Amino acid sequence: SPASATIVKGQSLQATAVVDAVLGANKSVLWSVSPDAIAEGVKITQTGLLTIPANYDHQDIQLVAVSVFDEDIDDTVEYTIV
């Protein structure tokens, strides 16, 4: 994923992650946003579908992907909300 991107309030965005794995290691990731964002109606599915509610009152959000195989491997994307 890019280091930053833009998402529109009231819409969804499908995030993707590419995990280099060897010898058949699990390439899945766990997606997350802050608990505060969840409390304010942001949704993130385990397939990476990020939905920002139309009334979300912040200008940005961080989306984190963590490797299922090795939790020390992660990446964060900062989304600007417009």
Side-chain angles (χ1 to χ4, degrees):
S1 292
S4 63
T6 301
I7 186 170
V8 177
K9 287 183 183 182
Q11 294 188 4
S12 298
L13 178 140
Q14 180 63 58
T16 59
V18 177
V19 178
D20 274 340
V22 294
L23 302 173
N26 191 335
K27 294 183 178 185
S28 299
V29 297
L30 296 175
W31 297 98
S32 65
V33 294
S34 74
D36 289 342
I38 297 293
E40 294 183 41
V42 172
K43 293 184 171 54
I44 181 67
T45 68
Q46 284 310 304
T47 60
L49 184 65
L50 175 65
T51 303
I52 305 295
N55 63 345
Y56 191 65
D57 196 29
H58 299 279
Q59 295 178 348
D60 56 32
I61 191 167
Q62 290 185 339
L63 176 62
V64 179
V66 177
S67 168
V68 170
F69 177 71
D70 183 349
E71 65 186 33
D72 290 331
I73 299 172
D74 61 26
D75 196 13
T76 301
V77 177
E78 180 88 21
Y79 286 95
T80 299
I81 301 169
V82 293

